[in-house]
Amino acid sequence: MIDSDYLVTFGDSWPAGVGLWPNDEKPYGALLCDRLQIKNFYNGSIPGSSVSRLLLQLFDYISCHTTVKNHIAIFFITTPGRSLLIDHDKNIINFNTPPPNSSNRNAFDRNKDLTEIYYKYLSTVPMDEFNVCRTILALQQVCSQVGIQDFYIPGWLNMKFDWPGVEKQKIYPKTCTQILGYSRDEYLAMQKVHSKYFLPCGHPNSHGHQIIADYLY
């Protein structure tokens, strides 16, 4: 018996269900919610989000509910290379991918310039891995304090979540791409091609979301 009346997903475009919206198809979180016979589903995912933004998504969710005790949350661990900046006006600037090199810009693009600076001077693999583990520790601590049942699934990159204090039993041992039968390199090579489980935009189709939901179940 599932002791919850809410299931919520957090993350980027995959749990958000990008590519499914025109056909009103359900992402894996909603499909899992139906199968578990949980009354309410909430999708707190935001396309283009980083792992760091999972904390902000969780805080927003908690602030909108009088209680979240025994709610089930599934956090999607996107590529560690993404990050964010919160400016003085509390605007969130997402760092998703390094921009192409360009020395002849016609106008100053603040977000683009910040992204170039971030990936040129601040982003390293050890730092990215540090940020992911630090965020997971924070998510697990917050969920423990408010009574949320928290679970995690990596997107397409295997990582070692071997920090002391990280509850690894809550992290699904396969990535979403592995669940769908691809290695990371295979996924990157075919993500613009319509396939059995993927849309041409590189996101899972309804069949792919169903497979992920089945595995999580």
Side-chain angles (χ1 to χ4, degrees):
M1 180 178 179
I2 302 299
D3 182 21
S4 178
D5 60 357
Y6 257 98
L7 187 143
V8 56
T9 50
F10 300 111
D12 62 5
S13 54
W14 277 46
V18 166
L20 301 179
W21 301 330
N23 300 318
D24 199 28
E25 297 165 325
K26 293 182 177 181
Y28 65 78
L31 296 170
L32 178 61
C33 186
D34 291 344
R35 187 161 183 186
L36 292 172
Q37 297 183 335
I38 295 176
K39 185 184 301 183
N40 302 295
F41 173 68
Y42 178 88
N43 198 335
S45 307
I46 301 172
S49 291
S50 61
V51 174
S52 298
R53 194 162 183 177
L54 291 172
L55 270 172
L56 300 179
Q57 294 175 11
L58 176 61
F59 293 158
D60 287 343
Y61 180 73
I62 292 172
S63 68
C64 293
H65 293 80
T66 55
T67 179
V68 292
K69 186 174 178 58
N70 291 328
H71 289 195
I72 295 174
I74 302 175
F75 296 91
F76 182 91
I77 308 301
T78 189
T79 177
R82 293 180 178 179
S83 191
L84 59 78
L85 170 71
I86 303 175
D87 68 14
H88 292 294
D89 298 317
K90 297 184 178 181
N91 298 309
I92 297 174
I93 300 170
N94 291 311
F95 299 137
N96 293 332
T97 55
N101 293 329
S102 175
S103 59
N104 296 316
R105 288 170 294 176
N106 295 322
F108 178 79
D109 185 326
R110 179 169 177 263
N111 287 10
K112 183 178 178 182
D113 278 36
L114 288 172
T115 300
E116 289 182 346
I117 291 170
Y118 175 78
Y119 283 110
K120 185 174 182 179
Y121 298 107
L122 302 176
S123 176
T124 66
V125 171
M127 189 68 208
D128 296 340
E129 293 176 347
F130 173 82
N131 285 332
V132 170
C133 286
R134 177 175 60 180
T135 300
I136 291 177
L137 280 172
L139 291 169
Q140 292 185 340
Q141 176 65 17
V142 172
C143 289
S144 174
Q145 290 295 314
V146 300
I148 289 177
Q149 302 176 61
D150 54 319
F151 301 92
Y152 306 79
I153 183 166
W156 45 86
L157 186 64
N158 282 314
M159 289 189 59
K160 293 181 179 180
F161 303 100
D162 52 3
W163 277 26
V166 172
E167 298 179 75
K168 291 187 287 186
Q169 72 275 13
K170 294 183 176 182
I171 304 173
Y172 197 77
K174 289 186 177 182
T175 67
C176 282
T177 47
Q178 288 172 337
I179 288 173
L180 298 179
Y182 295 94
S183 69
R184 176 178 179 268
D185 291 340
E186 287 172 334
Y187 164 65
L188 293 175
M190 53 67 64
Q191 61 178 316
K192 296 298 182 183
V193 180
H194 187 89
S195 71
K196 185 176 180 180
Y197 298 126
F198 287 97
L199 299 164
C201 63
H203 297 92
N205 58 23
S206 59
H207 193 185
H209 277 275
Q210 185 65 64
I211 296 296
I212 295 171
D214 291 343
Y215 267 79
L216 290 177
Y217 176 80

